[in-house]
Amino acid sequence: MAAAFKTSGSFCSTQQHQWLQSTRDQILHGSSHSNVKQCKSKKIKKPFPLCVKATSSKVELDFNDPSWKQKFQEDWEKRFNLPSITDIYDLKPRPTTFSLKKNRTPTGDGNVDMWNGYVNNDDRALLKVIKYSSPTSAGAECIDPDCSWVEQWVHRAGPRKEIYYEPEEVKAAIVTCGGLCPGLNDVIRQIVFTLETYGVKNIVGIPFGYRGFFEKGLKEIPLSRHLVENINLNGGSFLGVSRGGAKTSEIVDSIQARRIDMLFVLGGNGTHAGANAIHEECRKRKLKVSVVAVPKTIDNDILLMDKTFGFDTAVEEAQRAINSAYIEARSAYHGIGLVKLMGRSSGFIAMHASLSSGQVDVCLIPEVPFTLDGEFGVLRHLEHLLKTKGFCVVCVAEAAGQDLLQRSGATDASGNVIFSDIGVHMQQKIKMHFKDIGVPADVKYIDPTYMVRACRANASDAILCTVLGQNAVHGAFAGFSGITSCICNTHYVYLPITEVVKAPKRVNPNSRMWHRCLTSTGQPDFH
Ligand SMILES: Nc1ncnc2c1ncn2[C@@H]1O[C@H](COP(=O)(O)OP(=O)(O)OP(=O)(O)O)[C@@H](O)[C@H]1O
Ligand SMILES: O=P(O)(O)OC[C@H]1O[C@](O)(CO)[C@@H](O)[C@@H]1O
Ligand SMILES: [Mg+2]
């Protein structure tokens, strides 16, 4: 019998409890042994690892069973196993053409490979490094009621000694999907550089996201080191982006017709879901194609990884808006600076920009409900701030407080919900409130919208993009497909896409980072 998961109750708020429950679900979700379908086919060598569906039911673990940890880890190993073209083909690898040393001189011990910094397929990185002694510890992610330490290893990224493609015969394609994000050009550039280092001559860009695969009149763009040399100096995407219109079978028809061997897909969670669908369809058709994703999104809302590229830059730009709001508010009589920031379903940009600026008195994110009116509402706190310090700054994430607004019901081309405007709503509510109570208030509203993402990557994102782009190419040459190249716990790793698209990552209200944000703003609970 599966043990029920209990958080040791009395110290746990409802919000914390829900969070603990959902993080546990994320850890355990989709990995029951009984759900590993053996997809047998005469032509294929092994069962498809991807037949473990991301949507399958939860792990049945009996925590009274002394071997539960071992069972968990065996299951984990299966879930995080990297899908490879060698799962379907009996392929012989060849020595890599990627060498860091151009003029190699043997040491005498015969081991020239050591100098090339190759990564072994058995190398792993630890995904989690904190041992929580209780489910009520800040940010605790627990598997069992005692919050036991369980090793969770993931595969290390980087160049392998042996590869599964002849570089001279490879056609590689790059596509950028979803919204814009700082660093797209840096990644495109590094993918091209690395492919050329392996000896690939046929590299193309697919214009305007997945649309470029099927929209007539959109031609692929031949890419070379020479062409992409300087593209990182500008924001945007050299290839263009788009939302919506992804039809997996048409995309794979197009991949087949164009004879693409490697596809590099840069995008957020929607793009990743699309990339995995393409990978699965390629497998179904027995195509020798490696599909490798690179996680891009200013929202930082993809599971398991430390951060997505573009996030740092967006935060830096966002805190400029906050600093302007601060200057305006500080210089006005009873000034209130209000800034609305992007973030589709998560408050990471708002939280980090509030932390980095240090000038925010109230930070509102979708993960933490709040009320505007009443004794414990935001408006009453703003009154207090005007009275005590004379001005204040509020930062609100675009997805926050949607329960206070009429839902628009609208969606974008990819099916993402379009939010009602919490920024404009708050601006009006604040103005009305202070008018009603007869207290002067000078509200300055700033909505930087696309300014936080339509810019070039900052230094830290540029480095992240460089590493992720290079590793994406190493992953494809190593034969992996249906994987994403990312950073986990400060180490560069590959994860199966199925594991990162289970749900959007959201701010944990029980995390140290949110607590730090609260310490910095000094805001009370607003409900
Ligand atoms: N579940 C899915 N399966 C297949 N394709 C998808 C899926 N979800 C989204 N896509 C496709 O992926 C592309 C990008 O999706 P989306 O617009 O949601 O952006 P995203 O990758 O999440 O990035 P951003 O962070 O900018 O929102 C679109 O062309 C969309 O049609
Ligand atoms: O480019 P669009 O379609 O206006 O999308 C805006 C959305 O894209 C993002 O910038 C990235 O997902 C979100 O923060 C924002 O909600
Ligand atoms: Mg998305």
Side-chain angles (χ1 to χ4, degrees):
M1 204 185 77
F5 180 76
K6 283 192 205 136
T7 56
S8 32
S10 52
F11 298 107
C12 228
S13 69
T14 312
Q15 206 175 63
Q16 283 171 331
H17 182 83
Q18 282 167 351
W19 181 265
L20 292 170
Q21 198 73 34
S22 80
T23 47
R24 177 190 172 263
D25 284 353
Q26 273 167 21
I27 297 169
L28 299 183
H29 194 235
S31 50
S32 166
H33 289 193
S34 58
N35 282 304
V36 180
K37 287 193 213 134
Q38 303 287 298
C39 304
K40 285 182 182 138
S41 148
K42 279 179 194 149
K43 290 186 188 153
I44 58 177
K45 209 176 78 182
K46 293 181 202 164
F48 285 178
L50 271 186
C51 288
V52 186
K53 293 284 183 206
T55 49
S56 58
S57 65
K58 292 164 198 163
V59 167
E60 296 272 321
L61 284 176
D62 176 0
F63 297 120
N64 297 316
D65 174 355
S67 64
W68 75 262
K69 265 192 202 177
Q70 192 196 331
K71 285 183 180 149
F72 174 87
Q73 273 162 339
E74 281 166 8
D75 193 67
W76 180 272
E77 187 62 27
K78 280 187 188 154
R79 280 169 57 194
F80 286 84
N81 178 45
L82 301 177
S84 162
I85 52 170
T86 59
D87 297 333
I88 26 174
Y89 289 107
D90 266 319
L91 293 172
K92 280 216 161 46
R94 55 150 293 162
T96 186
T97 51
F98 178 84
S99 172
L100 296 173
K101 299 281 177 193
K102 305 291 177 214
N103 303 310
R104 295 188 295 173
T105 29
T107 50
D109 61 4
N111 201 350
V112 286
D113 291 330
M114 282 178 64
W115 306 343
N116 282 278
Y118 296 124
V119 169
N120 193 296
N121 270 348
D122 293 329
D123 288 354
R124 298 285 187 276
L126 260 188
L127 190 64
K128 312 276 177 195
V129 288
I130 299 179
K131 183 191 176 328
Y132 300 99
S133 59
S134 156
T136 57
S137 296
E141 294 175 22
C142 308
I143 296 162
D144 71 323
D146 295 330
C147 223
S148 307
W149 164 253
V150 185
E151 289 172 13
Q152 297 174 33
W153 295 105
V154 292
H155 291 244
R156 191 171 170 221
R160 267 51 176 179
K161 208 159 56 173
E162 294 182 324
I163 58 175
Y164 287 90
Y165 290 92
E166 286 296 335
E168 296 250 323
E169 293 166 11
V170 164
K171 178 171 180 182
I174 308 171
V175 64
T176 59
C177 312
L180 278 188
C181 180
L184 283 165
N185 288 336
D186 303 62
V187 179
I188 295 169
R189 180 172 175 266
Q190 287 297 330
I191 290 175
V192 173
F193 285 6
T194 314
L195 283 165
E196 285 196 358
T197 307
Y198 272 90
V200 179
K201 304 227 160 24
N202 195 355
I203 311 169
V204 297
I206 305 296
F208 300 107
Y210 288 136
R211 181 175 294 274
F213 276 113
F214 51 83
E215 185 98 11
K216 285 200 179 81
L218 290 179
K219 298 263 178 297
E220 59 189 37
I221 306 160
L223 299 175
S224 64
R225 187 179 190 109
H226 178 69
L227 189 69
V228 300
E229 194 88 63
N230 300 325
I231 61 173
N232 60 318
L233 301 180
N234 290 314
S237 168
F238 181 68
L239 302 174
V241 292
S242 72
R243 293 194 191 277
K247 295 175 197 126
T248 307
S249 62
E250 282 184 37
I251 293 173
V252 178
D253 288 348
S254 174
I255 287 173
Q256 235 176 323
R258 294 165 196 250
R259 297 179 176 279
I260 290 168
D261 304 290
M262 293 179 182
L263 176 63
F264 299 97
V265 187
L266 284 48
N269 39 23
T271 305
H272 274 65
N276 201 54
I278 295 168
H279 155 75
E280 294 207 40
E281 182 62 22
C282 287
R283 288 197 150 203
K284 217 163 92 188
R285 298 189 193 183
K286 313 279 184 315
L287 302 176
K288 189 191 164 196
V289 177
S290 282
V291 182
V292 179
V294 187
K296 158 243 82 152
T297 172
I298 59 165
D299 295 351
N300 193 32
D301 61 352
I302 307 189
L303 285 178
L304 301 177
M305 51 201 71
D306 297 357
K307 60 180 177 180
T308 51
F309 78 79
F311 172 66
D312 257 11
T313 311
V315 168
E316 196 168 311
E317 294 302 312
Q319 57 115 32
R320 285 188 220 286
I322 294 176
N323 290 343
S324 300
Y326 167 79
I327 290 167
E328 288 286 345
R330 180 83 181 80
S331 309
Y333 177 63
H334 278 190
I336 300 179
L338 172 65
V339 181
K340 184 184 82 170
L341 294 173
M342 277 189 172
R344 193 185 293 293
S345 53
S346 60
F348 289 104
I349 300 177
M351 176 173 77
H352 281 246
S354 296
L355 275 165
S356 66
S357 113
Q359 307 299 348
V360 170
D361 299 291
V362 176
C363 176
L364 302 170
I365 59 172
E367 293 85 347
V368 180
F370 61 91
T371 53
L372 289 175
D373 302 300
E375 194 185 351
F376 301 110
V378 174
L379 296 169
R380 192 65 68 84
H381 185 59
L382 298 187
E383 274 178 48
H384 165 76
L385 289 167
L386 288 194
K387 206 187 273 178
T388 51
K389 63 183 262 195
F391 72 99
C392 60
V393 178
V394 180
C395 174
V396 61
E398 64 172 333
Q402 291 297 304
D403 55 318
L404 307 174
L405 304 164
Q406 210 175 353
R407 302 205 180 238
S408 74
T411 52
D412 69 13
S414 294
N416 300 306
V417 170
I418 295 178
F419 294 113
S420 302
D421 198 328
I422 184 69
V424 170
H425 178 73
M426 283 192 62
Q427 181 194 23
Q428 288 163 355
K429 285 282 290 188
I430 295 169
K431 281 183 176 169
M432 267 164 45
H433 177 77
F434 283 97
K435 195 172 165 205
D436 287 351
I437 61 168
V439 174
D442 194 349
V443 183
K444 310 290 192 198
Y445 177 47
I446 300 179
D447 181 354
T449 61
Y450 298 105
M451 292 170 79
V452 304
R453 65 178 210 192
C455 47
R456 66 174 283 199
N458 67 9
S460 99
D461 267 329
I463 293 170
L464 182 62
C465 291
T466 299
V467 181
L468 300 188
Q470 293 186 2
N471 281 344
V473 176
H474 297 314
F477 268 104
F480 302 126
S481 179
I483 62 158
T484 191
S485 161
C486 56
I487 182 166
C488 288
N489 185 27
T490 74
H491 297 286
Y492 298 99
V493 301
Y494 300 131
L495 298 176
I497 295 177
T498 45
E499 289 298 325
V500 303
V501 294
K502 288 177 173 175
K505 183 171 79 178
R506 309 189 78 211
V507 172
N508 176 356
N510 188 35
S511 63
R512 287 293 300 126
M513 204 49 115
W514 179 243
H515 295 173
R516 290 174 189 124
C517 189
L518 296 180
T519 304
S520 174
T521 61
Q523 72 196 66
D525 284 349
F526 293 117
H527 54 82

